[in-house]
Amino acid sequence: MPTVYARRIGVFASAVALASLTSLVNAPTAQAAPPTPISASAARSYLATVTPQAEGSTSGYSRDLFPHWSTVSGACNTRETVLKRDGVNVVQDSACAAVSGSWYSEYDGATWTAASDLDIDHVVALAEAWRSGASSWTTSKRQQFANDLTRPQLIAVTDNVNQAKGDLDPGKWLPPRTAYRCTYARMWVHVKQYWGLSMDSGEKTALVNILNGC
């Protein structure tokens, strides 16, 4: 894990400065976020209809079967588009690479000022999708899934936190920042519902338990 990163808490000597801090703290959540997921009640209603299925095999899986990152417009691909969307005051160069800005990682509460410290997480990981039904999809459909900007499937987060998550479902991994778990569960259910992906029993139980507390 990087040992130095930009924190949103500093030492301020006046009420004016404290007001500025409040503005900064609120900015990432207010200005930058993935598409709003379905409500907790809608997610609970959907889960009530789900019959758990044993998770499939990763046999034949490769990330290359989910082509990403796709060009969105001009020189900008999906990764750079998410970095722009999820950051504050993001400046991009002529190649659409983010050269400055600030990013708040909802998973762990860290704030970063270098895009290289961020991964774009597939909320429902590609390997998880493969085991849940995407193995039977066309490559074109898998590409749409891997670059889905319309559903809450992509989010910029601290790179090592994303790497710790790997391809685990909510029965095995949840964001370390507990305040985001309700939103994460709603995102997960939204994506799986839209794409028609199955859930195993441990995954469904974890989601129900989280959403019952939301």
Side-chain angles (χ1 to χ4, degrees):
M1 176 185 292
T3 56
V4 178
Y5 59 88
R7 296 183 182 276
R8 299 188 298 165
I9 299 174
V11 177
F12 295 85
S14 69
V16 172
L18 284 171
S20 297
L21 174 62
T22 300
S23 175
L24 179 60
V25 168
N26 289 336
T29 300
Q31 297 181 20
T36 302
I38 59 175
S39 66
S41 60
R44 287 192 295 267
S45 294
Y46 174 69
L47 286 172
T49 72
V50 171
T51 300
Q53 299 179 29
E55 196 164 72
S57 168
T58 53
S59 176
Y61 168 73
S62 168
R63 287 178 66 84
D64 293 340
L65 295 172
F66 293 78
H68 63 290
W69 303 106
S70 297
T71 299
V72 175
S73 65
C76 299
N77 64 21
T78 311
R79 173 183 164 82
E80 298 300 343
T81 300
V82 174
L83 284 172
K84 175 72 171 180
R85 182 198 71 191
D86 289 2
V88 175
N89 298 324
V90 177
V91 176
Q92 297 172 307
D93 64 18
S94 59
C96 204
V99 294
S100 65
S102 177
W103 292 268
Y104 178 69
S105 171
E106 293 282 9
Y107 286 3
D108 59 328
T111 297
W112 302 94
T113 55
S116 59
D117 288 321
L118 298 150
D119 279 353
I120 306 305
D121 180 39
H122 289 96
V123 172
V124 176
L126 304 183
E128 164 67 19
W130 179 270
R131 296 190 297 264
S132 305
S135 60
S136 66
W137 294 352
T138 62
T139 300
S140 176
K141 185 172 180 178
R142 287 192 289 262
Q143 181 173 10
Q144 293 172 40
F145 174 81
N147 297 276
D148 188 359
L149 293 165
T150 305
R151 266 63 54 180
Q153 160 68 342
L154 300 170
I155 183 171
V157 295
T158 302
D159 54 5
N160 67 292
V161 174
N162 181 51
Q163 291 151 23
K165 170 188 171 180
D167 62 355
L168 302 178
D169 68 40
K172 304 179 182 72
W173 186 93
L174 290 168
R177 180 172 162 256
T178 56
Y180 199 65
R181 290 181 179 178
C182 278
T183 302
Y184 182 78
R186 290 163 53 207
M187 294 165 76
W188 185 279
V189 173
H190 188 153
V191 172
K192 283 230 164 171
Q193 178 185 28
Y194 178 83
W195 289 98
L197 295 169
S198 65
M199 296 185 187
D200 63 41
S201 58
E203 173 187 357
K204 178 181 176 179
T205 297
L207 289 165
V208 168
N209 288 340
I210 295 164
L211 290 163
N212 281 344
C214 296

